[in-house]
């Protein structure tokens, strides 16, 4: 092959392609027809440097990127094919009879260098494709947000004259960005929880774990509480500290709907009133209690100072699903870091390689697609729907075919599904109470297999341990001053929105972002 080379520049990046001599190149190209006969699109590159682009011009730039990537890929492939054929010619037994070993080595060394250059060019092209896909993903966000804004404007003011979409403008630099950088700083020692974060209903236990004669001790926002059932069977939550000598009440027992302190036998009802004081005169003593309700198989408390809202959010699985497992774990990590982890799926093929993501390929681009004002959406290319539900819940529906396998590009294309609920109760600044509920829309017989609950717990703990070692490492670095949200990218969208929502709650914003509440 001759030494003719083509060199070009685009946006400061040098591009090389290696071709054979003119006659040889034409001869070989004719064998493959029009596959490689594509015009170089750079002569038609839109001249937009320093300009502001409207929607149509921005789409034209994106279209050029795709055309260039297509042309570049064809040239890369042609170059490698020609070099491969040249290697075959050099190693042809008939040709070797007329060449010395030294000449063969020299020819092969030259070809090896040209192949190395060609492979470097392929890597450059791969990077260009990634950049183009990121740009298209961001433009998709812009279009979705614009459509949603237009729809909301039309709904709120149907009589007003609509503005032409073509008047919307965006700078070229804006189009190039993957995701607007958010100002997030989660670093240093975990600060005390703001009182405003307490003004929500929090699930703290599963109904099946709370019997008439049992109690469940919990920590919530650095305070100890104990949950038990009163004489009427309704749950109550009182401070887990006896008013007499500060003994933990959960070390005692439940008698006739009252919790009895193991130290001197003082007994408290679900509203915190002391109704029995053995061996002494009954005094008017009361310990703090919290509003406590039971709904859809879960016990909820309201730890805040504001009046509790009249309704509780529903955490039931979708219709057609049956609950197969309810598991509670205490984890030595701040609940926000755990929520960050649960709201991120891009880490799965790197972290969960021995559990549910075993064998998953690594996509060239992972996106979380969601409305402009939402805390829910779906993952692309994974068939998984996900939602953050304030204040601390993550719900997800996963389309599956076999354990550890993915099927289809969306949950609707999958025949069977797994639904998950994760509740991350903020026990303290370095501890989270995790409630996990797993439901399936297939294999109902599994509900009746003895000890199946233990098997589900084993699998859940195995998956969680893969995450936990990483999140604990994050927490250690964070305590030393590292920012765990230093550089958000496009697939971090849901986690970023959770952090912005939480910041707004703590600031006392009149209207919370990404929600319909005010």
């Amino acid at each position: 092959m001759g030494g003719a080379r083509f060199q070009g520049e685009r946006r400061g990046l040098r591009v090389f392609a290696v071709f054979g001599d003119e006659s040889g190149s034409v001869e070989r190209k004719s064998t493959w027809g029009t596959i490689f006969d594509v015009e170089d699109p750079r002569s038609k590159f839109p001249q937009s440097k320093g300009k502001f682009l409207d929607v149509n011009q921005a789409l034209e730039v994106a279209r050029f990127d795709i055309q260039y990537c297509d042309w570049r890929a064809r040239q890369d492939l042609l170059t490698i094919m020609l070099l491969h054929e040249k290697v075959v010619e050099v190693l042809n037994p008939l040709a070797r009879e007329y060449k010395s070993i030294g000449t063969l080595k020299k020819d092969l060394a030259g070809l090896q260098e040209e192949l190395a250059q060609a492979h470097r060019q392929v890597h450059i092209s791969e990077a260009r494709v990634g950049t183009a896909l990121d740009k298209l993903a961001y433009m998709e966000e812009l279009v979705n947000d614009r459509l949603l804004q237009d729809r909301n404007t039309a709904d709120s003011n149907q009589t007003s004259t609509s503005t032409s979409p073509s008047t919307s403008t965006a700078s070229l630099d804006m189009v190039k960005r993957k995701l607007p950088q958010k100002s997030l700083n989660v670093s240093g020692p975990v600060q005390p929880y703001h009182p405003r974060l307490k003004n929500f209903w929090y699930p703290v236990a599963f109904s099946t774990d709370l019997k008439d004669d049992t109690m469940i001790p919990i920590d919530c926002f650095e305070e100890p509480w104990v949950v038990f059932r009163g004489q009427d069977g309704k749950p109550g939550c009182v401070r887990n500290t006896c008013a007499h000598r500060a003994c933990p009440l959960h070390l005692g027992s439940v008698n006739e709907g009252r919790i009895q302190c193991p130290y001197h036998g003082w007994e408290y009802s679900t509203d915190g009133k002391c109704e029995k004081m053995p061996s002494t005169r009954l005094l008017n003593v009361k310990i703090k209690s919290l509003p406590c309700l039971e709904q859809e198989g879960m016990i909820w408390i309201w730890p805040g100072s504001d009046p509790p809202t009249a309704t509780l959010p529903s955490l039931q699985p979708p219709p057609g699903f049956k609950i197969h497992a309810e598991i509670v774990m205490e984890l030595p990590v701040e609940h926000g870091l755990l929520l960050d982890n649960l709201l991120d799926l891009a880490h799965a093929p790197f972290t969960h390689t021995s559990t549910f993501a075993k064998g998953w390929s690594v996509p060239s681009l992972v996106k979380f697609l969601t409305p402009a004002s939402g805390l829910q959406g779906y993952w692309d290319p994974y068939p998984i729907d996900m939602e953050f539900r304030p204040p601390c819940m993550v719900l997800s529906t996963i389309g599956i075919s076999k354990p550890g396998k993915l099927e289809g590009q969306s949950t609707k294309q999958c025949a069977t599904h797994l639904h998950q609920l994760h509740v991350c109760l903020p026990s303290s600044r370095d501890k989270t109470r995790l409630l996990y509920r797993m439901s399936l829309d297939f294999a109902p017989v599994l509900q009746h297999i003895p000890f199946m609950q233990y098997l589900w717990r084993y699998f859940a703990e195995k998956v969680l341990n893969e995450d936990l070692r990483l999140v604990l490492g994050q927490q250690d670095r964070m305590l030393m001053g590292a920012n765990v949200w230093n550089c958000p990218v496009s697939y971090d969208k849901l986690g970023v929105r959770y952090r912005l929502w939480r910041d707004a709650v703590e600031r006392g914003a009149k209207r919370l972002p990404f929600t319909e509440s005010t």
Side-chain angles (χ1 to χ4, degrees):
M1 187 185 332
R5 296 187 178 216
F6 171 79
Q7 300 185 15
E9 281 191 330
R10 179 173 177 266
R11 299 182 187 174
L13 182 63
R14 297 178 66 82
V15 182
F16 298 89
V18 184
F19 298 92
D21 58 62
E22 185 176 354
S23 59
S25 176
V26 172
E27 181 182 350
R28 290 182 175 85
K29 286 173 68 176
S30 64
T31 306
W32 297 93
T34 60
I35 295 178
F36 303 108
D37 189 16
V38 176
E39 183 182 0
D40 184 346
R42 283 174 292 183
S43 61
K44 301 179 180 179
F45 175 60
Q47 299 301 315
S48 55
K49 186 175 181 181
K51 291 183 178 181
F52 284 90
L53 305 182
D54 64 18
V55 172
N56 294 327
Q57 291 170 326
L59 287 173
E60 185 65 23
V61 171
R63 188 178 298 113
F64 166 80
D65 285 341
I66 298 301
Q67 291 174 350
Y68 177 80
C69 288
D70 174 72
W71 174 83
R72 183 68 264 172
R74 294 169 192 261
Q75 302 309 308
D76 294 342
L77 180 58
L78 175 61
T79 300
I80 292 175
M81 288 176 59
L82 294 177
L83 287 170
H84 177 265
E85 292 185 9
K86 188 66 176 178
V87 171
V88 172
E89 290 180 6
V90 171
L91 296 178
N92 188 312
L94 295 178
R96 288 207 308 261
E97 294 179 2
Y98 302 99
K99 294 183 179 180
S100 65
I101 296 298
T103 301
L104 287 174
K105 286 184 177 180
K106 183 178 179 180
D107 291 345
L108 288 174
L111 289 171
Q112 186 176 18
E113 173 58 32
E114 290 186 74
L115 277 170
Q117 176 65 39
H119 282 108
R120 284 193 291 269
Q121 175 59 54
V122 169
H123 291 311
I124 294 173
S125 297
E126 288 177 344
R128 287 184 180 278
V129 170
T131 301
L133 289 174
D134 286 346
K135 191 182 299 183
L136 283 174
Y138 179 66
M139 291 188 66
E140 181 181 40
E141 293 174 15
L142 293 180
V143 171
N144 287 340
D145 290 355
R146 177 57 192 239
L147 290 175
L148 189 63
Q149 292 168 6
D150 289 347
R151 188 185 67 186
N152 292 340
T153 301
D155 291 342
S156 62
N157 189 10
Q158 295 181 358
T159 59
S160 63
T161 304
S162 61
T163 303
S164 173
S166 63
T167 61
S168 301
T169 60
S171 69
L172 181 58
D173 289 338
M174 186 178 185
V175 173
K176 287 182 180 179
R177 289 185 301 169
K178 301 175 186 177
L179 183 73
Q181 291 294 313
K182 306 297 182 183
S183 178
L184 294 176
N185 183 13
V186 183
S187 62
V190 181
Q191 299 301 310
Y193 289 110
H194 197 284
R196 293 191 186 98
L197 201 59
K198 298 180 181 181
N199 291 316
F200 293 90
W201 283 107
Y202 283 86
V204 296
F206 292 112
S207 297
T208 52
D209 293 334
L210 188 63
K211 311 300 182 185
D212 289 340
D213 58 348
T214 63
M215 49 192 151
I216 300 176
I218 63 168
D219 289 328
C220 183
F221 291 107
E222 310 279 351
E223 293 185 273
W225 305 93
V226 61
V227 180
F228 64 103
R229 293 190 184 276
Q231 243 179 337
D232 57 2
K234 295 180 180 180
C237 179
V238 300
R239 190 184 295 277
N240 191 9
T241 306
C242 182
H244 179 213
R245 300 280 291 276
C247 181
L249 292 175
H250 77 275
L251 299 177
S253 59
V254 177
N255 297 322
E256 297 180 348
R258 295 186 297 270
I259 190 168
Q260 184 185 71
C261 177
Y263 209 169
H264 297 91
W266 291 22
E267 295 185 10
Y268 301 88
S269 58
T270 54
D271 63 358
K273 184 178 180 181
C274 184
E275 296 186 345
K276 266 193 177 184
M277 290 181 183
S279 307
T280 188
R281 180 170 58 90
L282 183 63
L283 303 176
N284 186 19
V285 174
K286 191 173 184 179
I287 58 176
K288 186 177 180 179
S289 64
L290 295 178
C292 184
L293 293 175
E294 185 171 15
Q295 174 178 287
E296 297 177 346
M298 304 190 82
I299 311 296
W300 301 69
I301 65 171
W302 181 278
S305 57
D306 286 358
T309 57
T311 58
L312 283 70
S314 174
L315 298 181
Q316 282 286 85
F321 283 79
K322 298 294 183 182
I323 297 172
H324 284 253
E326 293 181 334
I327 300 167
V328 180
M329 305 181 197
E330 301 287 344
L331 306 177
V333 65
E334 195 271 330
H335 93 293
L337 288 177
L338 187 59
L339 281 168
D340 291 342
N341 174 268
L342 294 171
L343 294 171
D344 167 31
L345 198 65
H347 73 278
F350 304 99
T351 303
H352 300 292
T353 52
S354 63
T355 53
F356 71 89
K358 185 177 182 180
W360 283 19
S361 60
V362 179
S364 59
L365 183 67
V366 175
K367 296 183 290 183
F368 185 79
L369 304 176
T370 180
S373 58
L375 290 167
Q376 72 288 327
Y378 63 94
W379 288 92
D380 180 12
Y382 303 123
I384 298 177
D385 300 335
M386 185 172 286
E387 175 186 358
F388 168 70
R389 188 165 297 176
C392 65
M393 287 82 80
V394 178
L395 297 93
S396 57
T397 301
I398 305 172
I400 58 176
S401 54
K402 297 178 181 178
K405 301 293 183 182
L406 288 177
E407 171 189 277
Q409 294 298 310
S410 70
T411 54
K412 293 181 180 180
Q413 295 177 353
C414 301
T416 55
H417 304 82
L418 179 148
H419 180 78
Q420 297 184 113
L421 165 68
H422 292 86
V423 177
C424 300
L425 180 69
S427 299
S428 68
R429 280 176 279 180
D430 59 1
K431 188 171 69 172
T432 299
R433 178 177 174 86
L434 175 67
L435 277 63
Y436 173 73
R437 174 186 278 170
M438 189 272 290
S439 308
L440 302 173
D441 63 355
F442 64 99
V445 69
L446 294 178
Q447 291 179 298
H448 308 293
I449 298 178
F451 309 113
M452 196 66 192
Q453 179 86 359
Y454 298 102
L455 184 60
W456 290 131
R457 185 178 184 93
Y458 167 78
F459 286 135
E461 288 181 344
K462 190 172 182 181
V463 172
L464 190 62
N465 284 334
E466 290 177 323
D467 285 317
L468 200 56
R469 66 187 185 94
L470 307 179
V471 178
L472 286 173
Q474 280 184 294
Q475 184 167 261
D476 289 341
R477 301 300 188 272
M478 182 183 74
L479 297 178
M480 292 188 291
N483 183 6
V484 299
W485 273 106
N486 196 46
C487 186
V489 294
S490 59
Y491 54 66
D492 292 322
K493 182 186 295 183
L494 192 54
V496 168
R497 291 190 176 188
Y498 154 66
R499 286 291 177 176
L500 295 176
W501 171 86
R502 178 171 166 178
D503 288 346
V505 170
E506 294 177 349
R507 290 196 318 271
K510 293 183 179 179
R511 186 177 186 87
L512 298 180
F514 315 116
T515 66
E516 296 179 357
S517 61
T518 56

